[in-house]
Amino acid sequence: MQVTFSTAALPKTGAIIIPVFEDGKKSKAYQDINGKTDGALDRAIKAAGYKPKKGQFLEIISPAGIGNGRVLLIGAGATKDFSALDAEALGGRVIARLQTSREKIAVFALDGLSAKKIDAGELAARVAHGARMRSYRFDKYRTIVEKDDKPALTKIAVHSSAGAKAAFTPHEKIGDGVFLTRDLVSEPANVLYPDSFAKRCQKLVELGVKVKVLGVPEMKKLGMGSLLGVGQGSEKPSRLVAMEWMGGKKGDAPVALVGKGVTFDTGGISLKPGPGMGDMKWDMGGAGAVTGAMAALAGRKAKANVVGVIGLVENMPDGKAQRPGDVVKSMSGQTIEILNTDAEGRLVLADALWWTQEIYKPETVIDLATLTGAILVALAHEFGGMFTKDDALAKQLIAAGEATGDKLWRMPLTKNHDDMIKSDIADMQNIGGKGAGSSSAAAFLGRFVKDTVSWAHLDIAGMAWNEKDTPTIPKGGSGYGVRLLDEFVRANFEG
Ligand code: BES
Ligand code: MN
Ligand code: ZN
């Protein structure tokens, strides 16, 4: 989708989109078009009894006086509670409505848009961003697309104040990161496996990111028995990828983002049931979010030092696969009794977290993982689950979630949860007892984080994949986490 900005008069064709507020004040664009069409907009509002509630459309097709396009009024609700996220939703809803209409250009006439504490340029940029976010499609494997399903719409033209174009630039880069994550999450596991994932990470070099890839022999040498145990039943060799963006002060400790990248999770010998197993292609959603966030940060040249580390494995049942009851030794030296091979994400993160701390000495570590089904029981698809002992860090992450719409809810993490993973024969076991499965998983990860590090674990099992469309996210890979991490870095680490 091409996005352009203009301060010139509205064009004569295409779909012209005009936001309308409940307060009754009509924008210049509204008055202009209403005049040119001999009052068609006023008449349509009256005839339809139209109330401009948030997201409510009124479409006036081909009114005399403005060529053969259409005018699309969209409700914006009350000015006093219109937010940047509302602006994004507005843009997204318009694209959802027009994408497979016959219109080629969506012209947003935004001179009337206003909100508390956000300047008009930024607001217009957020409309464009939301529109672009909703335009995403993953069509690469379709050889047949019905004509009615083909998007004719290829351009978004935003007419607004002068500041909008510049305000859009960072959002465009962040959007590129979101799209990268959606692509990764959407790819089937026969295409995206540890090595091919690592190769896609290498593309970030073009953005100025330094990329390191560790293979199985190197990880063996480092003693990563926990991560390697998960991958040993697969034909696809495991990988560990580190992506460095050092845009901050030289010598400043980096923020570390660590992601679970299980490119397919069958459960291993503790095999998952068949129905729905296909969903486990997106069990690399944490790694996908970290990769997209690194692309976003590098793309907008963030003034911060950030390193993204992802553990890439495929969890398969096989003659070589690890068994329930096996004991493995992690890079940290701690031993783990594997009681369920389906609790594999934590095993991957254990070594990825430890390696990250040894190599980069970060003061802040955030890990993201589609870690437990239990987090869906608690939070469904509304929030990612956040586990941390650091109240200040919790506050920063919650704020980043609220600002971007990648929402988080804090979950408990206590000594009792840690007690749940005591093993009879090793330092710990990889599952807890009954209940609190997301918290005992977090406690497991906590054993691989040094006391001096400020750490949060984000369980995004309910967020990586959208079962249905939302205003700015079409059904499928959501890209959750990219905007959250970008905003977290921007607000707290860029001076
Ligand atoms: N990848 C799954 C978690 C998951 C489940 C993500 C559903 C998205 C949707 C994870 O590896 C897993 O299998 N977890 C087990 C842990 C259990 C064996 C302690 C689970 O949640 O059932
Ligand atoms: Mn699993
Ligand atoms: Zn998994």
Side-chain angles (χ1 to χ4, degrees), residues 444-464:
F444 181 97
L445 299 179
R447 293 205 183 193
F448 299 88
V449 179
K450 298 179 183 181
D451 288 340
T452 53
V453 169
S454 170
W455 162 69
H457 156 59
L458 310 182
D459 192 337
I460 64 167
M463 305 308 287

Side-chain angles (χ1 to χ4, degrees), residues 260 265 272 280 282-283 340 342 344 370-373 431 461:
K260 166 181 172 180
D265 181 14
K272 285 184 183 294
M280 287 299 108
W282 49 261
D283 207 17
N340 189 322
D342 196 13
E344 85 297 339
T370 50
L371 204 64
T372 65
I431 52 172

Side-chain angles (χ1 to χ4, degrees), residues 105-180:
I105 308 179
V107 179
F108 284 88
L110 300 182
D111 68 277
L113 216 51
S114 67
K116 270 201 206 152
K117 289 197 223 154
I118 313 163
D119 79 63
E122 173 68 14
L123 214 51
R126 297 294 278 267
V127 170
H129 180 58
R132 179 172 177 243
M133 288 300 95
R134 181 54 198 261
S135 76
Y136 176 85
R137 315 236 324 180
F138 189 76
D139 280 344
K140 67 186 277 201
Y141 297 113
R142 291 185 202 278
T143 63
I144 308 157
V145 184
E146 297 286 335
K147 196 158 168 283
D148 288 348
D149 204 29
K150 224 177 238 157
L153 195 75
T154 56
K155 280 187 191 153
I156 297 164
V158 178
H159 286 246
S160 75
S161 66
K165 191 175 161 63
F168 183 64
T169 307
H171 296 300
E172 183 176 27
K173 301 300 176 189
I174 296 163
D176 290 346
V178 172
F179 282 6
L180 171 60

Side-chain angles (χ1 to χ4, degrees), residues 223-230 232 321-330 333-341 347 351 423-430 444:
M224 293 190 179
S226 183
L227 183 154
L228 289 171
V230 177
Q232 79 190 26
Q322 74 182 349
R323 294 149 289 254
D326 283 5
V327 173
V328 296
K329 189 166 190 167
S330 67
Q334 301 175 92
T335 58
I336 306 159
E337 185 185 12
I338 312 291
L339 289 183
N340 189 322
T341 64
L347 298 170
D351 281 336
S423 159
D424 292 337
I425 66 160
D427 296 338
M428 70 196 87
Q429 59 188 39
N430 79 327
F444 181 97

Side-chain angles (χ1 to χ4, degrees), residues 245 257 292-302 306 485-486 489 494:
W245 171 254
L257 313 174
M294 294 309 296
L297 292 163
R300 67 169 183 80
K301 301 204 163 28
V306 186
L485 293 172
D486 175 80
V489 170
E494 293 191 59

Side-chain angles (χ1 to χ4, degrees), residues 173-174 204-210 243-247 291-304 306 486:
K173 301 300 176 189
I174 296 163
L204 269 61
V205 169
E206 293 162 19
L207 297 170
V209 176
K210 209 162 137 193
M243 295 163 271
E244 301 169 15
W245 171 254
M246 297 297 174
T291 307
M294 294 309 296
L297 292 163
R300 67 169 183 80
K301 301 204 163 28
K303 288 191 173 51
V306 186
D486 175 80

